[in-house]
Amino acid sequence: MALACNTHSPKDFIHGKRGFWKLNFNIGPTEIPIRLEILNADTWAIHNGAETIQLDSVSIDADSFYVKMPLFNSALCGRFSSDSTLQGRWIDYSRENNYTIPFHAAYNSGSRIHTGIQEVSTYDITLSPDSIDKSKSVGLFTNQNGQLTGTFLTETGDFRYLEGIWTGESMTLSCFDGTHLFYFCANVSGDSLKDGIFHSGKHWTESWCGRKDANASLRDPDELTFLKPGKNSLSFKVRNESGDSVTFDSTQFQNQVTIVQIFGSWCPNCTDESKLMKELYHKYASRGLKIIPVAFERSTNFLEAKANVKRQFQQLGLDYPVYFGGGARRSLASKVFSDLTDIGSFPTTIFIDKKGSVRKIHTGFYGPGTGSYYFKHSEKLDMFVDMLLAE
């Protein structure tokens, strides 16, 4: 029977059992496990470690379901095979050709119960260790009786909330947030993680390895992107919500503190940063803080790109204007922001003082899944904005 994807009004339907389900995404021979919860006919949830993503746009018609993911332009759709089994596919509408990955799920008797002593470990990670493109990462893991949670930090952000299993001989971590599907696995040998494989959906596979190191660290994200020599201010041209061309330069930045956020609505790290930007704006707008978000979207159709961004801004409760730089490519962002040495990550965030001078450029974003890294960055950023406003 073909899978259906519809948004019909609910009527007589198979009642999927309330509680936790084990959902497996199929990417070739690998299955990526995710915890799904059916709360009631209208509300489901995805659980990634400490994160719960509530899915409250659920439509069911007979044995078919369609679940619109919040914040990102994607959906889960399929059929119940019984009240304890289902199958379907994830569709990411923001990617070309409606990127899809099939899944199946079965009812699981309950939630994961975390008991016992927590073992917190830090690992020095190398991604693509045998490649000229190898890069460093920091693994932050918490092991509680074999139930593993944590994340990976890179110099362009983090992999958000991950959860999985530690057996002593192997480890796995995974997450799904509506736009990214991540899976990490490796063999455990003493303090080393070997033969690691990282999957991002069905389109990316990368090797990795690691070793326990309490002092593992990365370069300062404030020291990765700079103004080009001879520059001390910023000028760039983008489109406003009406599609008109708008130029920003030092004259528009006078007598206010400005944060220029280079982001994409498809980017979870950007979304995490947008939530922090909202907090800063509500706290400091009355003192003259202005935020200029510039979106670089996967869709090349301006109206579709605008719709995606505006939908996310509405869900996040962001009430300041948004601007558009073009497609979701770092090379294109680097052309728009040609005064900078390079745009190495979405997001990249530029802080401009009341004189119109660039005071700091922050590459990437460590979100709440990184724990203390996030809280330290949030406190540091709040103090920095407060200082600029007081000048």
Side-chain angles (χ1 to χ4, degrees), residues 20-24 34 36 83-87 104-109:
F20 286 86
W21 294 55
K22 184 179 180 181
L23 187 152
N24 290 292
I34 299 295
L36 169 71
D83 66 351
S84 58
T85 57
L86 58 82
Q87 58 182 323
H104 62 91
Y107 178 73
N108 198 3
S109 58

Side-chain angles (χ1 to χ4, degrees), residues 374-387:
Y374 169 73
F375 293 113
K376 289 177 182 178
H377 173 63
S378 300
E379 290 179 358
K380 181 180 176 182
L381 182 56
D382 187 284
M383 293 174 61
F384 184 70
V385 172
D386 182 62
M387 180 193 73

Side-chain angles (χ1 to χ4, degrees), residues 16-275:
K17 287 185 178 180
R18 297 340 183 225
F20 286 86
W21 294 55
K22 184 179 180 181
L23 187 152
N24 290 292
F25 288 96
N26 306 106
I27 54 167
T30 300
E31 291 194 338
I32 302 178
I34 299 295
R35 281 193 301 143
L36 169 71
E37 184 180 11
I38 296 182
L39 299 165
N40 54 56
D42 301 317
T43 307
W44 297 6
I46 295 290
H47 296 272
N48 302 308
E51 177 186 53
T52 297
I53 301 174
Q54 184 164 306
L55 313 177
D56 52 12
S57 180
V58 179
S59 299
I60 299 178
D61 182 11
D63 61 351
S64 300
F65 61 83
Y66 183 92
V67 184
K68 187 73 177 70
M69 297 297 299
L71 298 178
F72 306 111
N73 189 23
S74 70
L76 302 174
C77 64
R79 292 185 183 276
F80 287 98
S81 305
S82 70
D83 66 351
S84 58
T85 57
L86 58 82
Q87 58 182 323
R89 53 196 169 108
W90 166 44
I91 307 174
D92 187 347
Y93 299 109
S94 70
R95 297 179 186 268
E96 292 183 1
N97 302 318
N98 288 345
Y99 181 95
T100 65
I101 294 179
F103 62 79
H104 62 91
Y107 178 73
N108 198 3
S109 58
S111 173
R112 293 178 57 180
I113 301 173
H114 296 274
T115 60
I117 298 174
Q118 291 185 348
E119 179 185 352
V120 180
S121 303
T122 302
Y123 280 77
D124 185 356
I125 305 292
T126 303
L127 301 171
S128 297
D130 300 320
S131 166
I132 60 173
D133 297 321
K134 69 179 180 180
S135 60
K136 301 298 291 183
S137 174
V138 173
L140 305 175
F141 307 141
T142 298
N143 183 359
Q144 195 165 14
N145 283 358
Q147 296 181 344
L148 191 64
T149 57
T151 194
F152 292 78
L153 282 66
T154 72
E155 291 186 341
T156 59
D158 67 90
F159 286 88
R160 306 193 74 253
Y161 296 90
L162 301 168
E163 70 169 51
I165 297 173
W166 181 284
T167 69
E169 296 181 350
S170 64
M171 57 85 72
T172 63
L173 284 167
S174 58
C175 78
F176 172 68
D177 55 27
T179 189
H180 285 149
L181 175 64
F182 293 142
Y183 180 71
F184 292 85
C185 64
N187 294 321
V188 178
S189 177
D191 287 343
S192 297
L193 300 175
K194 299 182 176 181
D195 307 315
I197 298 294
F198 162 55
H199 294 286
S200 179
K202 64 181 182 181
H203 63 278
W204 180 261
T205 300
E206 185 175 11
S207 61
W208 65 279
C209 61
R211 185 171 181 82
K212 187 180 291 187
D213 182 355
N215 297 314
S217 62
L218 300 169
R219 292 183 295 172
D220 187 340
D222 291 342
E223 302 294 332
L224 299 178
T225 305
F226 302 92
L227 285 170
K228 290 179 178 177
K231 299 282 186 178
N232 67 353
S233 61
L234 187 69
S235 176
F236 59 93
K237 182 182 293 185
V238 290
R239 300 171 73 181
N240 62 19
E241 295 176 27
S242 299
D244 300 322
S245 178
V246 178
T247 298
F248 288 95
D249 57 32
S250 58
T251 61
Q252 280 86 33
F253 302 138
Q254 298 291 326
N255 302 316
Q256 64 188 18
V257 172
T258 306
I259 301 175
V260 179
Q261 182 194 22
I262 303 169
F263 81 107
S265 69
W266 46 270
C267 165
N269 288 155
C270 300
T271 303
D272 285 337
E273 185 186 58
S274 291
K275 294 175 182 177

